Amino acid sequence: MTEKSTLPALSKQVSELVLAGSLHHAEQAFSEAVEQHGDLAVVEVLANLAPQVTALHLSGFDGGKTSLATLLVPPKAWADSLAFFAATWSDEMIEDDPERVAESLFAHVHGIVFSSDDPERRHELLAEASATDHGATVFAILFSMAPKEILEVAGEILAKGPYITGQTSSDSDIVPLAIELAKASEDGWDRSLFELFPDFRHSGDLADAEFSDDPDDEPKFLQRSTKELLYRLRKQVPSSRSNVPKRGARKSIGTGIFS
């Protein structure tokens, strides 16, 4: 059987295994395909899987559990799959422990982006994901867990451009991801910032923004909470009648932050 005739059968097999909850067997099928046909065969299968199937499969792996799918998923396929990650989030999960849901999402995003040492692949993944509305919401959710540090990073980017050090008032794991996103896509970085801080319309406005650690202080600008953003992402899950999510329709604001 030729490789061309094998790929549709492999795609069907993997889809059925994932939908049945047999992620280990799906990975085994990928492993056998790599041995017989090479990495590109798995890349092609992942590129053509339904995004909800890709999301279901990848959700079984995080930074502590790598997989062939994690290492080989094409950037666009991953970006499309992110739209379906919130499909299984119940009101109870979001209401009871939104931070835990957000941390699980962070583990997934961080695991995919940093599974490779290749900066070009990291930037392709981040650029594709942040080019969608749901992707900007995903990054806003992650940033909402460290809003003070994100404002500090935004200010440093504006002041230092490509010479940013990433030093903030705390050692947040969110910061390296935020810097990688800003380097990968200025537009995606801006859109994610404005999803978290909707009062701002230009990243330059963030330079003078001050974040208070005192919960009793009156907020000086609107910041969406992690819980609110989780609900926003869930509302963006495509319906069964819709197609794969379209590229971001929100207004983009080019700032040339690293020019």
Side-chain angles (χ1 to χ4, degrees), residues 186-198:
E186 296 173 14
D187 180 61
W189 165 247
D190 275 351
R191 284 155 44 83
S192 301
L193 283 178
F194 305 146
E195 178 73 353
L196 177 59
F197 303 113

Side-chain angles (χ1 to χ4, degrees), residues 74-128:
K76 187 178 185 308
W78 178 57
D80 291 341
S81 75
L82 283 174
F84 293 89
F85 261 75
T88 59
W89 297 345
S90 65
D91 286 350
E92 185 178 3
M93 290 173 62
I94 296 175
E95 289 292 333
D96 290 352
D97 200 345
E99 285 75 22
R100 183 175 181 179
V101 178
E103 287 169 359
S104 175
L105 182 62
F106 171 74
H108 166 72
V109 172
H110 189 276
I112 293 287
V113 172
F114 292 100
S115 63
S116 170
D117 293 329
D118 181 4
E120 184 176 346
R121 172 168 168 80
R122 289 201 300 266
H123 288 179
E124 288 176 356
L125 288 163
L126 290 166
E128 283 287 349

